[in-house]
């Protein structure tokens, strides 16, 4: 597998969270949300480098977080005004040895190692791919006056998540062209779509939520608590099974 680098944009202000500081430093199950996100990639044997991109004022906090948790794959760089600017800075901060790049939101701390590795396996033959899930609700296109223009075909709609993976050369070219044209997309995949590159969709997980509001933070806590409970239950079951067998 090509050498893999991770770019984690974490420079957002998180205004909808209303915390008064970067939401990625909010605690989730007792530790900063960003720590959960970074740890996943630290644990993956496929990942060679991780770049966390933060706002200038947050860089010292991120440095302390990295040192505290002993993350040894991480380097930190300063982000830009928009998310796209931050990702571009993160791509440039990766070493020249990195051939494939994964972009993952710092505020998506619930991606599992299992889902990440499945994503890598299923995207190996694609130059650009994203994780996404089918939408559950009926989606309507609405005029600025509030009137419905059309009801969109739900079967063909997807809610896009991260991780998103790209061949480095293609992603770097897309960012270069976007800067030259003054174009800003809603995610990195949209830059490739704008240039005419095909982007493959891989099914994601309903639990891989982006924590944007206080309600999202509450839900993330519940998801992690349920995972811990399931893990604990499996552990008890294995122990009981072993004890039963050993007494036969």
């Amino acid at each position: 597998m090509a050498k893999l680098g991770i770019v984690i944009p974490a420079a957002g202000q998180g205004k909808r969270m209303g915390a008064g500081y970067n939401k990625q430093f909010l605690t989730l199950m007792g530790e900063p949300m960003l720590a959960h996100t970074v740890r996943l990639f630290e644990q993956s044997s496929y990942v060679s480098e991780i770049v966390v991109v933060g706002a200038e004022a947050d860089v010292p906090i991120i440095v302390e977080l990295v040192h505290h948790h002993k993350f040894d794959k991480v380097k930190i760089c300063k982000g830009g005004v928009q998310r796209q600017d931050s990702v571009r800075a993160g791509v440039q901060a990766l070493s020249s040895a990195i051939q494939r790049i994964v972009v993952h939101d710092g505020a998506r701390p619930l991606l599992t190692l299992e889902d990440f590795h499945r994503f890598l396996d299923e995207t190996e033959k694609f130059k650009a791919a994203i994780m996404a899930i089918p939408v559950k609700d009926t989606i309507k296109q609405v005029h600025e006056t509030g009137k419905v223009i059309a009801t969109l075909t739900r079967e063909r709609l997807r809610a896009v998540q991260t991780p998103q993976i790209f061949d480095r050369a293609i992603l770097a070219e897309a960012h270069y062209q976007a800067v030259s044209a003054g174009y800003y997309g809603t995610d990195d995949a949209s830059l490739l779509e704008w240039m005419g590159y095909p982007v493959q969709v891989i099914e994601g997980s309903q639990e891989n939520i982006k924590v944007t509001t206080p309600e999202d933070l509450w839900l993330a806590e519940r998801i992690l608590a349920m995972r811990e409970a399931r893990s604990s239950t499996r552990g008890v079951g294995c122990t009981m099974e072993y004890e039963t067998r050993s007494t036969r």
Side-chain angles (χ1 to χ4, degrees), residues 4-248:
L4 186 67
I6 311 294
V7 174
I8 302 176
Q13 297 181 18
K15 293 180 180 178
R16 282 179 286 179
M17 183 63 72
Y21 56 92
N22 192 328
K23 65 184 177 184
Q24 301 183 65
F25 303 133
L26 289 170
T27 56
L28 182 61
M29 299 294 283
E31 63 181 12
M33 189 192 315
L34 184 59
H36 288 270
T37 304
V38 174
R39 181 178 294 110
L40 166 81
F41 301 112
E42 272 279 333
Q43 292 173 341
S44 174
S45 60
Y46 294 110
V47 175
S48 300
E49 298 177 23
I50 304 166
V51 174
V52 178
V53 189
E56 184 173 10
D58 292 336
V59 167
I61 304 173
I62 298 172
V63 169
E64 176 59 30
L65 182 149
V66 169
H67 288 166
H68 176 75
H69 291 279
K70 296 180 172 61
F71 295 143
D72 58 15
K73 297 180 184 179
V74 177
K75 62 176 71 173
I76 301 160
C77 75
K78 185 177 71 173
V81 177
Q82 303 289 337
R83 180 186 187 276
Q84 185 171 311
D85 302 317
S86 294
V87 173
R88 185 173 67 255
V91 170
Q92 293 169 349
L94 289 166
S95 74
S96 59
I98 298 299
Q99 302 162 291
R100 296 268 277 177
I101 296 175
V102 167
V103 180
H104 186 68
D105 299 324
R108 285 190 193 270
L110 301 183
L111 179 68
T112 66
L113 199 60
E114 180 182 5
D115 280 337
F116 176 54
H117 288 171
R118 173 182 60 82
F119 178 73
L120 293 181
D121 288 341
E122 294 182 12
T123 59
E124 194 168 3
K125 61 183 179 181
F126 301 110
K127 294 182 181 297
I130 61 176
M131 188 175 276
I133 56 175
V135 299
K136 298 177 180 179
D137 301 319
T138 296
I139 307 296
K140 294 185 182 289
Q141 185 179 359
V142 180
H143 189 269
E144 60 185 14
T145 62
K147 292 182 180 179
V148 172
I149 297 174
T151 299
L152 306 181
T153 304
R154 184 168 58 189
E155 288 73 16
R156 295 192 177 184
L157 297 176
R158 296 294 183 271
V160 176
Q161 302 177 327
T162 62
Q164 300 185 358
I165 190 167
F166 310 94
D167 280 2
R168 181 177 189 152
I170 291 175
L171 182 60
E173 175 67 14
H175 275 278
Y176 173 78
Q177 294 291 348
V179 168
S180 299
Y183 176 79
Y184 279 86
T186 53
D187 65 356
D188 295 279
S190 66
L191 300 185
L192 274 73
E193 296 160 30
W194 169 68
M195 292 183 64
Y197 282 112
V199 177
Q200 182 67 30
V201 173
I202 303 298
E203 185 155 352
S205 165
Q206 295 289 345
E207 291 186 357
N208 182 25
I209 65 171
K210 187 174 184 180
V211 179
T212 303
T213 66
E215 292 77 16
D216 296 331
L217 188 64
W218 178 88
L219 179 58
E221 289 269 5
R222 302 287 79 71
I223 291 171
L224 286 177
M226 285 189 296
R227 287 179 182 175
E228 284 194 3
R230 287 198 298 264
S231 177
S232 175
T233 301
R234 283 197 297 269
V236 169
C238 290
T239 302
M240 290 175 64
E241 181 181 8
Y242 175 78
E243 289 175 349
T244 301
R245 287 178 178 176
S246 65
T247 57
R248 287 177 183 172

